[in-house]
């Protein structure tokens, strides 16, 4: 099981602010990095899966980058909206057959 | 296309009873995952299957928990006997592949053991 950490644990921003959070994982043992968005009372929804160093993915106002050499990924949200309020989870796998380990999540609250 | 279907959505039962949670993965997905969500430990992977075969069950908390996948369209997670500390939300997810593909989660089963 990998040690996957996310920061910050929670974040309050105003509508229109751009924000970012971090996911860190062991760089010595890496296969894939997942980001999920989890709204209260719903189930996690996949945002991105990244496997290559330098990968950048984008979905609307949300984007993510991956640095496997130093063991981190950033998730960016441009121009936050109240509907972006959710917990953002990252998860990492050390190889193709290993279990995915989830971080503790970053809870984002966007105030109108 | 139907997503991952879990049943029941809610289960309330008394300590000592057997509990069976059910999952139907998305058709064509060959990997299936069972997770447990608690306040204390967040989202934990309990077990996963690839092509109906259990690959890693090291996340299963103890022998009271068992999981089966008799065919590509059905899986069960069983707790026998149940205890109050098993109360949690249990999610099932499926994926077209292993860890390089996104997982699609069901709506979860909220389990309460009295």
């Amino acid at each position: 099981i990998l040690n996957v950490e996310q920061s910050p644990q929670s974040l309050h921003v105003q509508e229109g602010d751009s924000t970012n959070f971090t996911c860190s994982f062991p760089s010595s043992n890496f296969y894939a990095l997942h980001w999920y968005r989890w709204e209260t009372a719903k189930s996690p929804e996949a945002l991105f899966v990244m496997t290559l160093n330098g990968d950048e993915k984008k979905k609307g106002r949300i984007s993510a980058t991956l640095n496997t050499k130093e063991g981190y990924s950033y998730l960016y949200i441009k121009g936050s909206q109240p509907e972006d309020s959710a917990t953002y989870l990252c998860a990492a796998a050390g190889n193709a057959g290993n279990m995915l380990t989830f971080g503790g999540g970053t809870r984002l609250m966007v105030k109108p | 296309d139907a997503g991952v279907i879990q049943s029941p959505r809610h289960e309330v039962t008394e300590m000592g009873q057997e509990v069976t949670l059910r999952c139907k993965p998305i058709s064509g997905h060959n990997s299936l995952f069972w997770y447990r969500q608690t306040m204390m430990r967040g989202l934990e992977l309990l077990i996963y299957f690839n092509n109906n075969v259990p690959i890693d069950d090291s996340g299963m908390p103890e022998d009271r928990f068992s999981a089966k996948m008799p065919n590509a369209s059905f899986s069960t997670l069983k707790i026998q006997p149940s205890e109050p500390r098993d109360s949690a939300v249990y999610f099932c997810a499926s994926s077209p592949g292993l860890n390089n593909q996104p997982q699609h989660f069901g709506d979860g089963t909220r389990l309460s053991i009295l």
Side-chain angles (χ1 to χ4, degrees), chain B residues 6-11 13 17-23 34 64 66-68 74-80 82 90 109 111 113:
Chain B
Q6 290 186 246
S7 64
R9 289 295 306 277
H10 303 274
E11 173 95 12
T13 192
Q17 297 296 307
E18 178 180 291
V19 172
T20 300
L21 310 182
R22 297 172 176 78
C23 176
W34 280 103
R64 297 184 296 106
S66 62
K68 292 183 180 179
F74 184 64
S75 178
T76 59
L77 178 69
K78 190 173 288 188
I79 309 173
Q80 166 64 17
S82 58
Y90 291 81
T109 294
L111 178 63
I113 308 296

Side-chain angles (χ1 to χ4, degrees), chain A residues 1 31-34 36 38 41-46 48-49 51 89 93-100 102-103, chain B residues 9 33 35 37 43 45-48 55-59 91 98-108 110:
Chain A
I1 296 179
Y31 178 73
L33 191 286
H34 294 218
Y36 291 85
W38 194 359
K42 294 189 177 179
S43 53
E45 173 195 352
F48 308 113
V49 177
T51 57
L89 290 173
N95 64 50
N98 272 10
M99 296 172 78
L100 204 59
F102 280 82
Chain B
R9 289 295 306 277
F33 309 83
Y35 291 91
Q37 181 212 358
L43 194 64
L45 181 60
L46 301 177
I47 184 172
Y48 74 95
I55 302 299
D56 191 331
D57 65 355
S58 59
F91 287 100
L98 279 176
N99 293 319
N100 62 348
Q101 298 285 333
Q103 296 182 16
H104 300 259
F105 285 75
D107 290 335
R110 184 173 293 277

Side-chain angles (χ1 to χ4, degrees), chain A residues 3-107:
Chain A
N3 185 25
V4 179
E5 295 185 348
Q6 292 187 246
S7 64
Q9 278 192 315
S10 65
L11 193 55
H12 289 75
V13 301
Q14 286 294 135
E15 182 176 354
D17 287 350
S18 292
T19 187
N20 66 84
F21 3 104
T22 306
C23 173
S24 62
F25 52 86
S27 58
S28 58
N29 187 20
F30 175 81
Y31 178 73
L33 191 286
H34 294 218
W35 280 102
Y36 291 85
R37 180 172 177 275
W38 194 359
E39 287 183 73
T40 303
K42 294 189 177 179
S43 53
E45 173 195 352
L47 289 173
F48 308 113
V49 177
M50 297 184 286
T51 57
L52 299 175
N53 185 46
D55 253 355
E56 288 190 31
K57 300 242 175 166
K58 189 174 179 184
K59 194 175 192 176
R61 294 179 292 98
I62 304 176
S63 59
T65 61
L66 179 66
N67 183 325
T68 61
K69 294 187 187 307
E70 295 181 40
Y72 65 83
S73 174
Y74 291 140
L75 188 81
Y76 300 91
I77 302 179
K78 185 178 176 182
S80 304
Q81 300 296 307
E83 57 265 31
D84 296 328
S85 298
T87 296
Y88 291 83
L89 290 173
C90 74
N95 64 50
N98 272 10
M99 296 172 78
L100 204 59
T101 302
F102 280 82
T106 292
R107 187 172 177 210

